Amino acid sequence: MKIKEVGCSSPDLPYEAPDYQSYALTSPWHTPPKLLKMYVEELKYPYNDADLFTVIRNPYSRVLSEYYCPWNGFQPKYRRGTVYEKDPNDPKVMNEWVKGMVKVLGTAMDEFNDRKEEDKFKKQAKGLNEDRRILAQKHYVNQAEYVYDGDEIIVKHVVHYENLSSEFDALMKKYNIDVTLPSKEEDICGCTEEQIVI
């Protein structure tokens, strides 16, 4: 995906879709600010002097969404070679999948944190996989990683996914930015949380 495809014509951080997985550099707009700051040149850090906001989600709803995700979840329908041998609605199957993902993410985070600074890659390069995909895609990263740097709160505003339209609209109004989001009922995915049957 090119940066212009997501609607940004003049990004503060140059971006090209990488052919590898990096926790710090793959999809930098999804990278926790404290981590991105360590990996980009100071002049290219897009959040200097910015009032940051992030969107967080109820952890239970978030894990359900990831579990049923058609691209990366359990038995994803859009991934080649998926084997449909277990009932995705069986609580035991779901719990085992969640435990497995937490374990794999924990291992990936340990590997990332244990890597020496001089061994960490600072630039993107074709075919260079520095981190496991589960970590690089950031779908399962603890949401606190986006809000805190140690004990310091680095994000000024937290918007809750469950109230995304109203809280985002109020935030934009506070900053006199003429942007609004459609309600969840009008979401382009075509369903609301109430319509998801588990």
Side-chain angles (χ1 to χ4, degrees), residues 126-168:
K126 187 174 182 175
L128 179 65
N129 289 317
E130 66 182 30
D131 298 308
R132 293 183 189 211
R133 187 175 194 281
I134 188 172
L135 187 58
Q137 293 300 309
K138 304 169 194 80
H139 285 256
Y140 305 97
V141 172
N142 186 328
Q143 295 173 107
E145 293 294 314
Y146 295 88
V147 178
Y148 293 92
D149 186 354
D151 291 334
E152 180 187 0
I153 296 175
I154 55 175
V155 171
K156 191 167 185 174
H157 304 281
V158 174
V159 174
H160 300 87
Y161 179 80
E162 293 75 16
N163 305 314
L164 181 61
S165 291
S166 62
E167 290 184 23
F168 179 83

Side-chain angles (χ1 to χ4, degrees), residues 53-66 143 157-169 181-196:
F53 78 92
T54 191
V55 178
I56 65 166
R57 189 172 191 181
N58 176 301
Y60 181 75
S61 298
R62 184 178 179 214
V63 83
L64 286 178
S65 177
E66 291 296 348
Q143 295 173 107
H157 304 281
V158 174
V159 174
H160 300 87
Y161 179 80
E162 293 75 16
N163 305 314
L164 181 61
S165 291
S166 62
E167 290 184 23
F168 179 83
D169 292 353
L181 295 177
S183 68
K184 284 177 70 175
E185 290 75 30
E186 301 168 37
D187 195 347
I188 59 171
C189 76
C191 63
T192 66
E193 284 190 33
E194 292 79 27
Q195 294 171 315
I196 297 174

Side-chain angles (χ1 to χ4, degrees), residues 84-100:
Y84 301 97
E85 58 188 30
K86 296 181 180 179
D87 178 7
N89 297 316
D90 181 339
K92 289 180 183 177
V93 171
M94 180 185 286
N95 285 332
E96 287 303 313
W97 182 86
V98 171
K99 287 180 199 174

